[in-house]
Amino acid sequence: VTPSEGASGGPGREWEMESVLALRGLVLLRDSVEWEGRSLLKALVKKAALGGEQVHVLGCEVSEEEFREGFDSRVNSRLVYHDLFRDPLNWSQTGEAPPGGPLGALQVTCKRAGPGPVTVALDSLSWLLLRLPCAAICQALCALGRQHARPGGGPAGEPVRVLGLLHGELHGPGPRGALSSLAQAEVTLSGTGGQASAHILCRRPRQRPSHETLCFSILPDLSLDLQGGPPLEPHPDPHRPPVDPTTHLTFNLHLSKREREAKDSLTLPFQFSSEK
Amino acid sequence: GKLTLLCDANTDGSFLVHHFLSFYLKANCKVCFVALIQSFSHYNIVGQKLGVSLTAARECGQLVFLEGLKSSVDVFFRTQAEPHPLQFLRSANAENLQPLYEFVREALKPADDGEAAWRCPVLLVDDLSVLLSLGMGAVAVLDFIHYCRATVCWEWKGNIVALVHDSGDTEDEENNILLNGLSHQSHLILQAEGLATGFCRDVHGQLRILWRTPSQPTAQRDRSLTYQYKIQDKSVSFFAKGMSPAVL
């Protein structure tokens, strides 16, 4: 199937989002305080699980119960949750905390991928970036791309897909740029007037990066509902005609004919003339 | 369990803190108040105007009050076996706020005998920005709130209300990280702002209410509302923008 670059038509748009969903490698989901991205992350996780993939989630920001909420049993059975929420820094000293701290947990999540297609969801990449050096995270993500060779020297399995949730406002241009350069696709969430939209930037090998903007919504059962083209500007209110500010003034804004003639014949001070 | 974030920009948002304190005490919840900004008597006086007595609540065990101004002195002049909740004031490189978390945990943990004398536990913090001024990093404060969320909100199904100042200064990176990091974890954000046109006698500011559901999809609904308010002696009156009785 030949990919289309920045297609402008109904089927082209849906293809763009489908191609993002089919991409392996790192997919960044950038959200903001106003437009949260966790529900999109969960929708993509659900899609991957229903597609037969095993999904490993490194959960730092919400509890396992909260993350699994909304998924049915088919999805939940394929979802392995690595809990970094309850005790990430080992303050409770009960020994339940993952060994090696957050970095160890990230590496373990990446290694646990078994045979068959695997999706790793990082919730969130921002949490890790605030506590671990950017270089260590980038190395772990790169190692994911390399390590999926089958033992015994057989043909390499399908590369792992990593979905990373990134909170846009929290990081400077350095870490953002570093992750962008590693990512195969970036989905930036925004919206107008209650309608969420996603700007998708895809980097395919040997092609120019393509941009697309789509409206979407996440249904209560966490399926993704694509609504086609870019968000429209909010319509001006049809019941209120535009107000002309020059009506109903108590003073006169217009010039009479004599006043206009006097104005036109005035010599401006900075214009040189023979009289001055 | 919910995290409510209060933030103020160009104005004093402490009226929201007083509101939530009296609200939760009247609702018969067990409250742990980490009060770093004002003295106990200040909160008590305002509380009495709002109909609660902090002294009575503290005596019967409903309210656990950490008076930052007073107990910070204890850190220096009293040697204790276990670390003081404000121990970070004393150490040169305080890495985390674990002692403060342990204090909150001890204050709000459910009674062993299983008898619930009070309704859900509530942690109230006034405020978190001052911890940055006292030398803690933004990530340390975020870690503290993370652990409080895991324990108070998730394990014990309680609520957390915390105030953060928004300096509006893009140069203050630590405060921006703290504010944005907390915003992403909050279920409800109340932003009090001064009016853009300046100080006004009859309209003290504007309150923006933003509902977030960090992990559930939101249906099409009004996610944010804005009201203007005027703080009076015993209450706060709210009205729609431009509809202050003084203006109409």
Side-chain angles (χ1 to χ4, degrees), chain B:
Chain B
K2 300 260 177 281
L3 170 61
T4 301
L5 182 66
L6 310 174
C7 86
D8 58 14
N10 285 333
T11 191
D12 182 10
S14 57
F15 70 96
L16 294 167
V17 173
H18 294 298
H19 160 75
F20 278 103
L21 177 60
S22 62
F23 172 75
Y24 281 118
L25 284 176
K26 283 185 197 167
N28 219 27
C29 294
K30 175 123 194 223
V31 177
C32 174
F33 189 7
V34 175
L36 303 171
I37 302 295
Q38 299 281 6
S39 65
F40 177 81
S41 49
H42 171 89
Y43 293 106
N44 197 20
I45 290 169
V46 181
Q48 277 168 3
K49 289 189 186 176
L50 297 175
V52 289
S53 162
L54 298 195
T55 323
R58 189 165 62 169
E59 271 162 18
C60 72
Q62 186 189 8
L63 173 65
V64 177
F65 195 97
L66 175 65
E67 189 173 353
L69 293 172
K70 204 165 84 162
S71 64
S72 55
V73 181
D74 294 336
V75 176
F76 295 96
F77 294 117
R78 218 168 55 171
T79 48
Q80 273 176 296
E82 61 282 345
H84 191 279
L86 302 179
Q87 191 66 28
F88 64 91
L89 291 173
R90 190 161 184 181
S91 33
N93 324 311
E95 296 212 349
N96 60 44
L97 289 165
Q98 186 175 357
L100 188 58
Y101 161 70
E102 298 291 349
F103 171 83
V104 170
R105 193 190 164 86
E106 195 56 42
L108 288 177
K109 72 173 184 218
D112 283 334
D113 52 7
E115 296 253 335
W118 313 106
R119 288 170 68 190
C120 63
V122 174
L123 168 64
L124 191 54
V125 186
D126 179 19
D127 60 49
L128 288 173
S129 297
V130 76
L131 292 172
L132 297 180
S133 308
L134 291 170
M136 298 309 297
V139 178
V141 183
L142 285 175
D143 285 340
F144 163 67
I145 291 290
H146 179 115
Y147 268 87
C148 289
R149 266 198 322 134
T151 309
V152 178
C153 292
W154 177 69
E155 202 179 326
W156 297 332
K157 310 285 182 264
N159 295 325
I160 300 181
V161 179
L163 175 65
V164 178
H165 297 301
D166 181 4
S167 56
D169 180 10
T170 45
E171 306 257 332
D172 191 348
E173 281 182 34
E174 290 279 290
N175 199 51
N176 289 335
I177 291 175
L178 178 62
L179 183 59
N180 289 319
L182 285 177
S183 300
H184 275 282
Q185 298 175 25
S186 308
H187 298 85
L188 176 64
I189 303 178
L190 299 176
Q191 276 172 310
E193 298 165 336
L195 295 178
T197 41
F199 178 73
C200 169
R201 195 184 56 180
D202 296 299
V203 179
H204 289 149
Q206 190 160 284
L207 185 71
R208 188 163 165 252
I209 307 171
L210 179 65
W211 284 276
R212 296 186 78 249
T213 42
S215 63
Q216 286 310 309
T218 45
Q220 300 266 56
R221 60 180 164 90
D222 265 328
R223 302 138 146 256
S224 89
L225 284 178
T226 308
Y227 291 106
Q228 290 178 338
Y229 62 86
K230 177 179 179 179
I231 303 177
Q232 290 157 337
D233 188 45
K234 295 192 177 178
S235 66
V236 181
S237 54
F238 290 91
F239 31 87
K241 279 208 253 194
M243 305 287 275
S244 158
V247 169
L248 291 174

Side-chain angles (χ1 to χ4, degrees), chain A residues 58 84 99-109 127-128 132-133 136-137 139-140:
Chain A
L58 180 61
L84 206 55
L103 185 58
L106 174 63
Q107 288 162 341
V108 161
T109 311
W127 193 99
L128 296 167
L132 300 172
I137 295 178
Q139 279 169 357

Side-chain angles (χ1 to χ4, degrees), chain A residues 35 189-198 214-217 227 231, chain B residues 220 223:
Chain A
W35 300 97
L189 296 169
S190 60
T192 47
Q195 171 64 58
S197 64
L214 292 174
C215 288
F216 73 97
S217 61
Q227 280 148 18
Chain B
Q220 300 266 56
R223 302 138 146 256

Side-chain angles (χ1 to χ4, degrees), chain A residues 57-192:
Chain A
V57 180
L58 180 61
C60 317
E61 291 190 352
V62 295
S63 64
E64 184 170 355
E65 282 156 8
E66 201 177 329
F67 194 87
R68 286 186 186 268
E69 208 178 318
F71 289 139
D72 58 27
S73 54
R74 289 176 300 166
V75 176
N76 272 321
S77 58
R78 290 188 172 277
L79 208 158
V80 179
Y81 194 85
H82 302 259
D83 193 342
L84 206 55
F85 171 73
R86 259 187 314 157
D87 191 5
L89 307 172
N90 200 21
W91 284 6
S92 67
Q93 304 276 333
T94 53
E96 283 176 14
L103 185 58
L106 174 63
Q107 288 162 341
V108 161
T109 311
C110 296
K111 282 207 180 72
R112 286 261 188 95
V118 171
T119 292
V120 172
L122 300 176
D123 178 11
S124 65
L125 205 41
S126 284
W127 193 99
L128 296 167
L129 255 183
L130 283 178
R131 290 159 181 85
L132 300 172
C134 184
I137 295 178
C138 291
Q139 279 169 357
L141 291 174
C142 277
L144 252 189
R146 287 193 302 264
Q147 60 100 48
H148 212 67
R150 292 231 171 83
E158 223 176 301
V160 174
R161 171 171 51 211
V162 181
L163 301 171
L165 182 61
L166 202 62
H167 302 310
E169 310 94 334
L170 288 178
H171 310 289
R176 283 206 309 258
L179 289 172
S180 283
S181 63
L182 288 180
Q184 264 63 57
E186 290 172 45
V187 181
T188 307
L189 296 169
S190 60
T192 47

